[in-house]
Structure formats: structure tokens, C-alpha cells
Amino acid sequence: MKKKILIGLLVSLSFTSNAQQNQPNSVGIYQKLQKFAFLGKVMYVAAHPDDENTNVISHFANKVHATTAYLSLTRGDGGQNLIGPQLREALGVIRTHELLAARSIDGGGQWFTRANDFGYSKNPKETFTFWEKEQLLHDVVWAFRKFKPDVIINRFDHRTPGTTHGHHTTSAMISVEAFDAVGDASKFPEQLQHTSIHQPNAVYLNKSSWFFKNKSDFEASVTKDISVDVGTYYPNIGKSNTEIAALSRSQHKSQGFGMLSSRGKRKEYFELIKGKKATNFFEGIDTTWNRTDGGAVVAEMVSALLADFNFNNPSANVTDLLKIHKKISQLKDSHWKTEKLPLLETIITDCLGIYLKAYTNTGKITPADSLQISIEAVNRSNYPVTLNSVHFNNKQLNGVQKLENNSAFIKKTTVLSPHKNYTTPYYLKEEYSSGMYTVNNKLNIGLPETPTPFMVDFKLDVDGYLISRQQPIVFKYRDRVAGEVYEPLFVIPEINVKPTKELILFPKQNEKQVTVSLLAATKDQKGTLRIDVPDEWIVQPEKIDFNITKGNETSFSFKVIPPLDAAIATAKVTATVNDKQYSSYAEHINYDHIPKQQIIHKAEIRLVNFSIETGNKKIAYIQGAGDSVDANLSELGLQITPIDASNFYATNISNFDVIILGIRALNKFPHLLNNKTKFEKFVKAGGTVIVQYTTKSYRAAPSSINNFFPFQFTLSRKRVTDETAKVTFLAPKHQVLNNPNKISNTDFNDWVQERGLYFPDQWGKEFTPILGMNDVDEPLTKGSLLIGDYGNGHFVYTGISFFRELPKGVTGAYKLLVNIINL
């Protein structure tokens, strides 16, 4: 009688590369079997992408074979971007997938909370003015209950608030509190409809020498801690653990964390914070299948297979694997049974060399479209396998098909889209605050990305066992350079309604042209387009009739007349076709190290009407990292010429009045430091050089940055994170506060995220400090804006966050920067 055992094979829905992914080899399959044999879990906890210790994650995943995951409270939305222009939500999407790329290398899993990275915070007290503590605790308890770690490892110390980023300390504080709450059924009882209480064995602090003033203090601190050598060499893959960890950490490209690999012994230290004291992490825990009720036989079978695994012919292991599966299926329902069966089933199909794919020849469809897909199934073994059925959205796509050895079965079929919602990250779908994202579907909390609706279910008969394996439908195409490429499949708006600019300034309070592009995704579209503004604004014409053809993007222009008085408004753009309205557009993010991503944005324009005198300086701009300040200044009508940093030494700069270095330009292009004499000559002749915020780290040595100016200058990490912090005028009569625009305290209203960062703490008498500011309970900082006279010109350093303020239309920031330009 045929054994009707349903086996659910799970696959990662995250693409770790756009290129063709290789099937596991014998060593890879054996490593999965080792992980299947080990019943133990570790969760690493910190605040941001790139906070995690990849040496530790890789050690537990690849040496210990524990199921290992990283819980990052945020997606890093508040950081900077060294590889492109995306900031905030788009940067969070990039950093989310950089984490997934990292985990695909070091072997860990990835979790999140709903916390929105609102930017640097100096202490947990400030952090909790943005983050809802109860919601955050809910999410961490949810992660612990769902993942069920035996061991929790914090990257940061919960006992030292104010010594590091407030998010860092908060991550540890919440982790320690969740350690006590996770086993309490009275805490978040609604979670128990979908999971169960759990009590981890212990929570540890992964100490780092960074947290100590000197090496001797660090060494004295760790004498009683658990120490682990994470430098293990893995001969089966030809890499050491630290080499794997360096590759993993190097996926954080947007933050500039490319790492040199290292080899040899490396110690990591772990202090017990709460829980059972032990000499090693899993002391007292049976991490074999004996851990489960009735699992002793399974433990023996797995141990025997590990000892006698057939590397030359992996399919020869399948008979024993199916016997193991039968035994596990007969065990009482338990967390480990549910957890490990999918991995076992993956191992079975890997041993058979089963290749299953569902792909299409388009990367974008609308909710109303049909979709042509191809399904491909190959059995690359002599083991008898039958493809019983293939289902998509409850539709059966084929009949029974015997899969002969290495004979590809390919079938094309047409299906309807199952999804009426546009593809966008689930946590960006609803309105959210600067501190917390809104997630209506509570089961999505913690997930890295939105589960795809484009899943095809393959049912295989393997020696009488019915195996169900799911695969996402992907966009497959040939690239002349990369070859075979796979990308995710996106649901896009039927009409893409995209304003050419998200921000339009009216600096002279006169009318401007506003352009909107329309793209008909899959068929011709005919309708009307309009821009809705508050009553005091005027749009001409009131509406425009359009008739656009499939696949073509067409632009339409309106005249917008601002009110007589200063005003800020949001204009909403809407295309109407047969009474159906479209008012959104898709942004696509495409980098080689992560899969292509899509975010749906509202078709809105921020209109800012204000009075400003701009002057007529000729400005050269050297773009920095994630920098749009030059584009924002161009909105004022200023003459700005981009300069190629790589060719600066040969560039004639004598025709310019001002040279502006974009944010972190000296970090991104350290060779500019070698042109110090050229900058000095330019300033001495009457020019102005403006250096925007620069960090102490990343490629350019701090001493080199400090020596860039002809005067004493020492950069620090001082910053003012409260965007509402009081600003004091230290030199109220200085021209920069008076000409061509009068700067008042009201010009520092409505700033976003922060005042500024990386202020110097020492400077020569030649510099004049202009502004004083400070966070609560901190002394006044005076280095946010320094102006130094040199010859007939000026050197300026400013850590003020113009790069955040200008894109948001903060008028005071525009006025201040224009005054600096007009020195």
C-alpha cells in the first residue's frame, strides 16, 4: 500500500544573488545533515544591520551546527548610504537584503522587529521617546517564542546606558527583559494562538575590546567568561570560519563594511547575564534527537548515516533518509519535529539532484494580468521519482509525469495573477511613525520581507512518499554579460503615476512648471490627470486628458502658482480611468549584491514657497556618499557644476567661486587629501571651500582629515541628535548669519532627524565658531559650523545635516547654506 506521507519542503524566498544559484554538492548536503542532527538554537541580538558579529554567527552555524539567527531590532533606515542616493525607507530595504545576503554566506537566519531606525540616539531614554517600549518588547518576545533559542547572545551591554548608541543599549535591555517574559503566559497572551511559551537556557553578552578604554581592562574583564576560538578551519570547504565571516560582513556594502579576511585563532568572550551557569553554551542540554520524546531511535539512525554517508553517490543515502523521516513522522508533535522535517526533506531532494523551477519571461505584471509560466522538473539520479502534480493558486498545471534520470520535463502554461496588491515591503504599506512601523498582519512581524503570492507547489512521489515542495515564480532572462539571470516577480500599478520631482521649491515666490510622467504597464490607457493642491495654490490647467499606449512613458506638465505668503503644501497627483483612480508609482532598487527590489510610493509632491536671496556664485560640487545636496541647491536656480573627484588633480577650478565637498567625500575619495595645496591656492585667491560632514573612520586616516585644513582642526564624534535642540548664535554679527539672508532662530524649526554630526572638538584661532547647540544634559558644542579666513577666501567645515534637511524642504537649512556659499 502506498505510503501517503506529506512532506513539506520549504525554500528560502530570499534571492541571495540575481545569478543562477548552484545546487548543493555532497559536502553541502552533508553539512545540512549535520545541522539536522543537532537540536540546539542560538539567537544573536543587536540593533542594526552590521551590528552583528559574523564570526560568532558563522561559528555556531557551521562549527557547532546549531540553528542560528540574528535579531536586528531595525532595518538601518536612519543610516547613510555609500553606494547610492537612497536614504530612509529605501535604504532600509537595501540593508534588509544586505543582511539576508550576509546570512546566506554565514549560515544564519534573519529576524526583525517593527522598530524604525530614526537616527543616532545617545541613550535609551531618548530612544524610548521614539520607540514604543511595549510594542518592541512584544516583538522580541514574539521572536523568542517563535524561534525558541536555547541561547541568547547580546552584542551590547544593558548596564551601560549612554556609553554607546542608544539603540545599542536598548537592544540589550529589551533582550534581557524578554528573557524573563518569554516563558510567562500572562505576557502577550494573544501570541499563544500561534506559538507557545518558551524559556531559553541563558542570555550572554558577547564582549568586545571596543567597549573598554584599553586592552588590559578588557583582558581583566574576560577572565571568568566563556571563551571560544572562532578561527576554525573547515577543510571540506577550504575556508576558515573567519574568512566566511569576512565575506558575510562585506555584504554590508551600503555602510562601507568591506572586510579583509583573516586566518588563525581568534577568541570571542561571553559573559553570562542571566540563566544557568555553565562552562559551555549547551551544557546540560542533549542536542541529539534524544531530546525529543521517543527520538532515541532517530538519534541512532542519524548517527549511523553521518558515519556512513555516501559522498560519491548521494542518492544512495535516500533510502535511509526516508526511514528516518518515517520515524520522525511517528513522533509526538513537537517543536523539533516541525522545525527539522523541512530540512530533512530538503536533504532528500538534494541527494536526488532534484531541480524544480517556475519562471516567466516578464518581471512585472498588474493585478489584472494573466501570466505565462514555465515549470521545469529534473531528476538527476537513478532513484524512481514521479511528478504527481503541480499547483498554482489552486489550479493544477499538469498530470502525472515520471521523471526519468536526467531527462528534463518542461511545460508552459498561462495563469491569472493571484495578487491584487502591488508589491511593496509589508511594513511600508500602512502609515507609520518616525519610531515604529505599522504591521496589521501580526503574523508578518519579524519577517525580513513580504511572503510572495507567486508560489508553485510541486508534489513528488519518492518511493511511495509524497513530497510537496514549493518554489517562487521568478523572472528568468539572458543577460549578454551575466548569462542566466533570475529576478523577483513584481506586481505593479496599471498606470505608474510619477512626479518628476518629489520636492519643488518656489524661492522667488513665482510660478513653476511641474511635470508628471505616466506609464501604461500592460495596455493602452485613456483618462484624465490632475494635481490637487490646497485652495491658496493654483494649478493650470485643472486637468489634462491623456491617451497613452502600452509600455510607453509620457510626460505632462502643469503650471503651479504659489500663494503670496510663505507656505508649504502637499500636492496629490491622480490619474483617473473609467472612474478608477491611480495615484502611486513603483521605485526599483537594483544593485548587484542584492536582488532587485520594489517600493510603492504615493504620487505626491512637497511644495515649498519661501523668500530667499541666492546670489550668483559659480559653484563646483564634488559628490559624496548618498548625496543629493547639489540637486537640491539646483532647485534654487544656483549655477552648480559637478566635478569628477577621480580627476580633480587635473581639473581647472579657477573659474569657480565656491567648491563644495559632499557628505563624506573625503572618506569616499581619500586621494582628495593629496590635493591640499590646490585647495589652499584656490582659497587664498578668494574662493570658498565648504567641507560637509566627514567621519573619523573609513579609508581616510583621521590624521589626514585633520590635516586637510591649513589651521589646527581635530575631528570628533560629537553630534546633536535632537532635531529640536536650541541653537545659540555664537557670532551673531558674522556675515554668514546676516547676508544675503537674515538667519533667525525660527530658521531652525521643523528640522528632521538631527541637527548635525561629526563636529570637531578642537580648532585653531583662525576658525570662527558660528553656532552652539547641545542635546539634553550635555555641554554646548560649538563645532557644527566653523569658518576660517585664509588669504582672500574661506575654509568652512560644517557637520550640519544639510543632506537630510534639504530633501525635506527645510527652508532655514536652505537659507543658511546659501549664506555660507555667499561668504
Side-chain angles (χ1 to χ4, degrees):
M1 183 176 178
K2 182 173 285 189
K3 300 177 284 290
K4 292 291 185 180
I5 298 177
L6 186 66
I7 304 177
L9 282 178
L10 302 182
V11 298
S12 170
L13 303 188
S14 171
F15 294 71
T16 54
S17 169
N18 288 340
Q20 167 71 57
Q21 297 178 39
N22 296 325
Q23 289 284 105
N25 56 29
S26 294
V27 170
I29 297 171
Y30 188 77
Q31 288 175 316
K32 289 180 182 179
L33 187 59
Q34 289 176 305
K35 188 174 289 288
F36 171 77
F38 190 92
L39 274 60
K41 288 187 170 187
V42 176
M43 180 165 266
Y44 201 92
V45 181
H48 311 103
D50 73 43
D51 282 347
E52 79 275 25
N53 187 336
T54 53
N55 284 303
V56 172
I57 291 174
S58 180
H59 167 80
F60 278 107
N62 299 302
K63 171 66 175 177
V64 180
H65 306 300
T67 304
T68 309
Y70 174 44
L71 171 59
S72 177
L73 297 194
T74 77
R75 297 172 187 268
D77 330 64
Q80 284 85 55
N81 184 359
L82 290 179
I83 61 173
Q86 295 88 1
L87 291 175
R88 290 303 314 156
E89 293 81 4
L91 176 59
V93 171
I94 292 171
R95 298 188 72 184
T96 292
H97 285 272
E98 287 180 336
L99 276 174
L100 291 172
R103 298 294 81 78
S104 73
I105 292 171
D106 60 36
Q110 187 60 53
W111 288 70
F112 291 96
T113 73
R114 288 171 289 175
N116 188 349
D117 180 1
F118 57 85
Y120 193 90
S121 178
K122 292 185 176 179
N123 55 67
K125 181 179 178 181
E126 182 193 23
T127 298
F128 281 126
T129 64
F130 290 87
W131 290 354
E132 297 288 343
K133 182 179 178 181
E134 197 67 8
Q135 289 185 33
L136 190 62
L137 180 62
H138 167 283
D139 293 0
V140 176
V141 169
W142 170 255
F144 288 175
R145 285 175 174 170
K146 290 285 286 183
F147 185 72
K148 300 194 183 323
D150 297 298
V151 176
I152 297 166
I153 300 176
N154 291 337
R155 185 46 168 159
F156 301 104
D157 194 337
H158 68 292
R159 302 162 296 191
T160 56
T163 60
T164 182
H165 196 323
H167 296 181
H168 292 168
T169 310
T170 299
S171 72
M173 292 169 62
I174 288 291
S175 176
V176 171
E177 188 170 345
F179 176 81
D180 293 329
V182 67
D184 184 349
S186 68
K187 298 289 186 180
F188 311 110
E190 71 283 359
Q191 294 182 358
L192 303 181
Q193 299 175 41
H194 308 287
T195 186
S196 59
I197 60 172
H198 170 69
Q199 187 53 58
N201 225 37
V203 57
Y204 293 88
L205 166 64
N206 179 199
K207 286 185 178 176
S208 171
S209 58
W210 303 338
F211 308 153
F212 295 81
K213 291 182 179 180
N214 53 61
K215 185 177 179 181
S216 59
D217 286 350
F218 171 64
E219 291 175 344
S221 169
V222 300
T223 54
K224 296 182 180 180
D225 297 340
I226 294 178
S227 65
V228 176
D229 178 12
V230 296
T232 305
Y233 175 67
Y234 305 122
N236 54 351
I237 59 174
K239 289 187 183 300
S240 67
N241 190 74
T242 48
E243 288 174 306
I244 294 172
L247 289 171
S248 171
R249 189 157 181 79
S250 294
Q251 300 310 302
H252 295 299
K253 299 182 188 302
S254 65
Q255 302 302 293
F257 275 103
M259 299 291 291
L260 293 172
S261 60
S262 63
R263 286 146 290 278
K265 294 180 179 180
R266 179 188 175 95
K267 286 288 186 72
E268 291 285 346
Y269 297 91
F270 304 87
E271 176 189 354
L272 177 67
I273 299 299
K274 275 192 173 185
K276 299 176 183 177
K277 189 174 182 180
T279 56
N280 66 71
F281 296 100
F282 292 99
E283 185 176 316
I285 301 174
D286 189 339
T287 56
T288 72
W289 276 94
N290 285 309
R291 185 173 186 174
T292 63
D293 186 12
V297 174
V298 175
E300 291 178 4
M301 297 171 71
V302 173
S303 178
L305 182 56
L306 283 168
D308 198 31
F309 187 82
N310 191 326
F311 285 86
N312 293 325
N313 180 18
S315 64
N317 303 298
V318 170
T319 299
D320 288 335
L321 288 166
L322 290 174
K323 291 178 181 177
I324 292 170
H325 185 278
K326 181 179 180 180
K327 288 294 183 183
I328 293 176
S329 299
Q330 294 170 348
L331 298 177
K332 294 180 180 179
D333 286 340
S334 69
H335 167 71
W336 289 108
K337 176 180 177 179
T338 304
E339 177 81 18
K340 292 291 187 176
L341 270 179
L343 177 58
L344 177 61
E345 295 147 3
T346 300
I347 293 168
I348 292 169
T349 52
D350 285 350
C351 283
L352 293 170
I354 298 292
Y355 179 89
L356 301 172
K357 211 73 176 180
Y359 51 88
T360 181
N361 60 0
T362 182
K364 303 167 188 174
I365 64 169
T366 73
D369 290 339
S370 60
L371 180 67
Q372 186 181 76
I373 61 174
S374 298
I375 56 173
E376 182 175 354
V378 188
N379 170 22
R380 291 174 287 195
S381 75
N382 287 315
Y383 213 92
V385 177
T386 300
L387 181 63
N388 272 14
S389 65
V390 181
H391 282 81
F392 173 70
N393 197 28
N394 296 322
K395 177 182 178 181
Q396 184 162 329
L397 306 183
N398 77 306
V400 176
Q401 177 69 40
K402 187 174 182 180
L403 299 180
E404 302 290 349
N405 181 19
N406 210 29
S407 179
F409 169 72
I410 301 175
K411 183 177 181 179
K412 293 183 179 180
T413 188
T414 299
V415 297
L416 292 176
S417 170
H419 205 40
K420 302 307 178 187
N421 298 319
Y422 306 141
T423 305
T424 199
Y426 69 88
Y427 55 92
L428 298 179
K429 288 182 178 180
E430 308 297 333
E431 294 294 331
Y432 49 87
S433 71
S434 58
M436 300 295 294
Y437 286 115
T438 301
V439 180
N440 288 335
N441 183 349
K442 302 304 182 185
L443 295 180
N444 282 342
I445 293 175
L447 297 180
E449 54 187 334
T450 310
T452 178
F454 297 105
M455 295 297 290
V456 172
D457 184 33
F458 293 83
K459 285 186 169 55
L460 302 169
D461 184 326
V462 181
D463 195 19
Y465 289 81
L466 195 60
I467 298 177
S468 178
R469 179 167 179 177
Q470 293 183 319
Q471 288 287 322
I473 300 174
V474 296
F475 172 37
K476 172 184 172 182
Y477 66 95
R478 169 184 173 266
D479 182 271
R480 291 176 64 87
V481 176
E484 186 174 72
V485 177
Y486 292 112
E487 291 181 355
L489 178 59
F490 300 127
V491 181
I492 62 173
E494 293 88 332
I495 303 178
N496 205 61
V497 183
K498 184 177 182 181
T500 304
K501 296 178 180 178
E502 296 178 357
L503 171 69
I504 297 181
L505 305 178
F506 298 79
K508 304 297 182 182
Q509 296 181 306
N510 51 10
E511 65 188 41
K512 275 200 171 183
Q513 182 173 284
V514 175
T515 304
V516 177
S517 70
L518 297 183
L519 173 64
T522 56
K523 65 180 182 180
D524 298 351
Q525 300 282 3
K526 182 179 180 180
T528 59
L529 178 68
R530 61 181 296 123
I531 298 179
D532 294 314
V533 294
D535 291 342
E536 63 268 23
W537 295 73
I538 298 174
V539 176
Q540 296 175 343
E542 290 187 4
K543 64 179 182 179
I544 296 176
D545 294 329
F546 65 82
N547 192 344
I548 53 178
T549 57
K550 171 185 172 182
N552 289 323
E553 187 169 16
T554 307
S555 295
F556 302 88
S557 295
F558 295 83
K559 182 192 295 182
V560 176
I561 303 172
L564 295 177
D565 297 325
I568 297 176
T570 298
K572 298 182 178 181
V573 187
T574 305
T576 303
V577 178
N578 297 329
D579 296 327
K580 185 173 182 181
Q581 295 185 336
Y582 301 92
S583 56
S584 62
Y585 67 92
E587 174 191 3
H588 292 104
I589 301 172
N590 202 4
Y591 291 100
D592 288 342
H593 67 299
I594 61 173
K596 192 173 184 179
Q597 297 299 311
Q598 176 173 292
I599 304 176
I600 298 296
H601 296 283
K602 294 179 181 178
E604 295 181 345
I605 310 169
R606 186 172 174 82
L607 307 175
V608 181
N609 180 45
F610 69 117
S611 178
I612 185 173
E613 294 295 330
T614 59
N616 58 358
K617 299 286 187 179
K618 295 180 180 178
I619 304 165
Y621 199 94
I622 301 174
Q623 264 220 333
D627 187 6
S628 64
V629 169
D630 52 340
N632 298 135
L633 288 174
S634 295
E635 277 292 297
L636 296 176
L638 293 170
Q639 302 177 57
I640 298 181
T641 303
I643 287 185
D644 182 4
S646 62
N647 198 39
F648 180 77
Y649 70 95
T651 301
N652 179 11
I653 59 176
S654 62
N655 294 326
F656 297 108
D657 302 309
V658 181
I659 299 174
I660 304 178
L661 277 68
I663 59 172
R664 299 177 76 168
L666 292 177
N667 301 135
K668 188 174 181 180
F669 308 111
H671 59 270
L672 289 173
L673 297 164
N674 300 327
N675 290 271
K676 176 181 177 179
T677 302
K678 186 171 184 176
F679 283 112
E680 290 180 355
K681 183 178 178 181
F682 173 79
V683 173
K684 189 174 288 187
T688 296
V689 169
I690 303 170
V691 179
Q692 294 183 81
Y693 106 86
T694 299
T695 69
K696 292 182 66 175
S697 58
Y698 179 62
R699 296 179 67 183
S703 59
S704 299
I705 293 172
N706 290 343
N707 292 330
F708 175 77
F709 298 101
F711 322 122
Q712 179 194 356
F713 178 90
T714 305
L715 194 63
S716 77
R717 298 180 66 88
K718 290 183 178 179
R719 62 176 76 204
V720 175
T721 62
D722 182 358
E723 63 270 30
T724 66
K726 179 183 176 181
V727 177
T728 302
F729 294 172
L730 304 175
K733 295 184 179 181
H734 196 285
Q735 60 172 315
V736 79
L737 297 177
N738 296 280
N739 183 56
N741 303 283
K742 182 69 175 178
I743 304 298
S744 68
N745 286 109
T746 58
D747 288 309
F748 292 93
N749 294 341
D750 303 318
W751 285 47
V752 299
Q753 187 159 321
E754 62 200 354
R755 289 292 191 202
L757 63 170
Y758 287 93
F759 300 163
D761 56 2
Q762 297 180 50
W763 52 84
K765 64 182 186 305
E766 297 86 354
F767 276 121
T768 299
I770 305 299
L771 302 173
M773 56 186 74
N774 60 281
D775 285 319
V776 176
D777 298 328
E778 291 192 358
L780 193 72
T781 66
K782 300 181 179 181
S784 62
L785 175 58
L786 300 179
I787 299 175
D789 297 339
Y790 185 73
N792 294 319
H794 311 276
F795 273 105
V796 180
Y797 177 84
T798 179
I800 293 172
S801 297
F802 290 114
F803 72 102
R804 294 199 190 279
E805 311 312 319
L806 301 192
K808 294 298 183 182
V810 179
T811 57
Y814 277 97
K815 290 168 65 177
L816 181 57
L817 184 52
V818 164
N819 281 13
I820 297 172
I821 290 169
N822 281 280
L823 283 169

